[in-house]
Amino acid sequence: MTMMVSGGRQGGRRVSAIALAAALLATLAGCGEKERPAPVSKAPPPPPPSTAPAEPAIQPQVGLNPTQRLARVVELLNAGDEKTARVELAALRAESPGMRQAEVLHRSIEGNPYDLVPRGSFSYIVEPGDTYITLARDYLGDSYKFYALARISGIAADKLKPGDIIQIPGRLREPGRSGTAPRRTAPVRTPRREAAPATAGTPAPAAAPMTNPAEALRLRRQGLERMTAGQINVAVERLTRAQRLDPNNGAIAADLARARRIQGAVRTRR
């Protein structure tokens, strides 16, 4: 009886030891899971540095006096390089504060171009040899307003060509020169001569043509307006009458020749 009891105690002790060992292993396993570090996400690698070289900053040309730098600004604007022209103009204004030409160009680029020109406008057909500089000189009285005229017209200076129709501020008139009063053609006065009596077989002398420069200028204006409106036949008729009234006016003769060329081109297309 005692042996059985003793055997039972030993068996119980063994079971208790096994249970204790199992509990200890479970505890150690739980501690191991709690102490396991969380996985660390890897950050994406940084992008490789750009290999494209940085665009060098534009620098004003060295060794130029104010007159030369002013001419360079005009040349750059005429060539359509406004970016470089701005740099050269900034250097010019720093070197020569208050220079009138530089200030006009600065306002032409940075400001409202309409602030530099008269109100209203008229259409103008570009002729061979015309540039914004010559047109600004003749019609605005200041050649340095050429870039304002280019901005108003909407055609770049390096793209202007004969036959283009642009808007010129102001009223149509004979062009002036460098701010002077507009040129006006003086009336042609023919000296009065006593007519010789006609004899048999001698034809009577032809009457001298009537001249009227003021009326010729009015007809020229009408002719240019009709040309701009596409009424080329009416334009030729008006300009022909204007030339008869002022035959020595070279501007009217040039306008009439241009109108006849356009008229011939239109007939050829038809």
Side-chain angles (χ1 to χ4, degrees), residues 39-88:
V40 179
S41 59
K42 294 183 178 180
S50 176
T51 58
E55 184 179 354
I58 300 175
Q59 299 295 331
Q61 186 170 331
V62 298
L64 299 182
N65 61 39
T67 302
Q68 293 170 332
R69 199 174 300 282
L70 177 63
R72 176 165 167 75
V73 173
V74 172
E75 179 184 359
L76 289 168
L77 290 175
N78 267 324
D81 190 357
E82 182 182 303
K83 187 175 181 180
T84 307
R86 287 172 179 266
V87 175
E88 294 288 356

Side-chain angles (χ1 to χ4, degrees), residues 82-137:
E82 182 182 303
K83 187 175 181 180
T84 307
R86 287 172 179 266
V87 175
E88 294 288 356
L89 183 57
L92 177 61
R93 296 178 70 215
E95 295 165 354
S96 302
M99 178 186 280
R100 186 195 68 81
Q101 298 91 330
E103 294 307 313
V104 170
L105 290 172
H106 175 71
R107 293 176 62 192
S108 297
I109 297 173
E110 304 292 347
N112 184 348
Y114 289 95
D115 293 340
L116 297 172
V117 298
R119 294 179 178 271
S121 65
F122 61 91
S123 298
Y124 180 85
I125 300 176
V126 178
E127 299 179 0
D130 281 341
T131 65
Y132 282 123
I133 291 178
T134 61
L135 293 174
R137 176 198 65 197

